[in-house]
């Protein structure tokens, strides 16, 4: 039981660190202004809404907290790849 909690804590900490990087990259994009910044702002809102719905569905269908965190990490990594191109 303790091992499962430790794994979740570690995975959550990794997600937090990765999210910080993406937040910085997004802030830089927004600070530049223009069409890319507007598109990024719109994308942020729609992605957060979709991620919330996905997380709620995962929990509602009996998914674990770790599965929810994995889903968020997948989205965060995709954003990092996109923003660092």
């Amino acid at each position: 039981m303790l091992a499962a909690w430790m794994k979740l804590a570690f995975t959550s900490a990794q997600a937090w660190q990765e999210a910080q990087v993406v937040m910085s990259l997004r802030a830089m994009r927004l600070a530049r202004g223009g069409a890319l910044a507007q598109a990024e702002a719109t994308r942020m809102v729609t992605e957060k809404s979709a991620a919330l719905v996905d997380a709620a569905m995962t929990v509602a269908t009996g998914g674990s907290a770790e599965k929810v965190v994995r889903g968020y990490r997948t989205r965060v990594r995709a954003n990092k790849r996109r923003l660092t191109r």
Side-chain angles (χ1 to χ4, degrees), residues 4-5 7-8 11-12 54-72:
W5 279 104
K7 183 176 180 183
L8 177 61
T11 303
S12 297
D54 287 349
M57 288 301 295
T58 298
V59 171
T61 58
S64 66
E66 188 168 338
K67 187 173 181 181
V68 170
V69 173
R70 276 196 316 265
Y72 278 119

Side-chain angles (χ1 to χ4, degrees), residues 2 7 14-15 25 27 30 34 37-38 41 47 49 53 60 69 73 80-81:
L2 180 61
K7 183 176 180 183
Q14 287 177 312
L25 292 167
L30 292 172
Q38 181 62 43
E47 281 182 349
S49 300
V53 169
V69 173
R73 287 187 72 200
K80 182 179 176 185
R81 279 192 301 272

